[in-house]
Amino acid sequence: MSERGAFDTNVVTMTRFVMEEGRKAKGTGELTTLLSSLCTAVKAISCAVRKAGIAHLYGIAGSTNVTGDQVKKLDILSNDLVINMLKSSFTSCVLVSEENENAIIIEPEKRGKYIVCFDPLDGSSNIDCLVSIGTIFSIYKKNNDEEPCEKDALQPGRNLVAAGYALYGSATMMVISTGNGVNCFMLDPAIGEFILVDRDVKIKKRGKIYSLNEGYAMHFEPAVTEYLQKKKFPQDGTEPYGSRYIGSMVADVHRTLMYGGIFLYPGNAKSPKGKLRLLYEGNPMAYIIEQAGGMASTGLETILDIQPENIHQRAPVAMGSTEDVLEYIAICKKHAKK
């Protein structure tokens, strides 16, 4: 845990860090409680993710277990964990999950002032091949005194109070922002706590990597095709960009945050608005990237400025290093004028 010795006696855990931030902001402590409950859910999901492979390999995960109970798939289990932890924290009033068609309205006796939108297990189609997966969340404050309802979650990303993601990779990491930069916490299994490992992370102004699914190239809009051509065959004497695409948004965006470059999930002829959902994929990731000094756009408008019309709304995504995203926007705007 520390280079000074075997044990650091003054570790900065995620709870401690958020409490300190809340104290500076003269907050009520409710956001700290909410984030702590999310931490607990992430630890439990991390544990389940690590066990899933063995259970699957040895045939334990059949359709029913020994007591006749239905064995839950990892994404449903993750969803239940997040919902139950948030409900029992008394901090939220409306929950929006990728797994639930409608918003979940918390019962009156357990309500708090926050609205949480989340994807409990992003990239879950990658579980069987051991590719990194993650949990994404965004937190808003309820902005009226009326009875909570689904409409309360339809706020632009500019209203976010906090957002972040957990990455279940070679280690389990949580990356969060409460509006004062981006901080990374790694799960230390020895003490079961998230420890601050990267403070105030900043993304490079320009990277050398582009990331998107080129399998859809046949359906790309001309702007995307032109941008990719420019990255592969630069005419200005610069080196061509490398291509990296994992197919798990958390993993692809985290790499973009760490190494710079651009992550794209544009609209195409088949899906004009792309595949990614605004409330619990586009907005939280755009918030993190902007807080780290980067940019996030649809190509024509800033992601955080979009006014959502429904909770599962999709939006095209281009995010990463500022210079890379600006270059992409310029090409999109040029084609939009034609």
Side-chain angles (χ1 to χ4, degrees), residues 17 165 175-185 196 198-202 257-258 287-293:
F17 181 85
Y165 58 85
V175 177
I176 67 160
S177 175
T178 53
N180 294 306
V182 176
N183 298 282
C184 301
F185 302 82
L196 180 63
D198 280 316
R199 193 188 284 267
D200 198 20
V201 175
K202 294 294 177 201
L257 178 67
M258 293 293 120
Y287 185 77
I288 290 287
I289 291 289
E290 281 204 10
Q291 284 288 323

Side-chain angles (χ1 to χ4, degrees), residues 152-169:
D152 292 325
L154 300 178
Q155 299 185 41
R158 288 280 166 232
N159 293 4
L160 278 167
V161 174
Y165 58 85
L167 176 66
Y168 313 108

Side-chain angles (χ1 to χ4, degrees), residues 79 92 109 206 253 263:
N79 193 41
S92 47
E109 65 276 13
R206 180 180 283 277
V253 172
F263 168 76

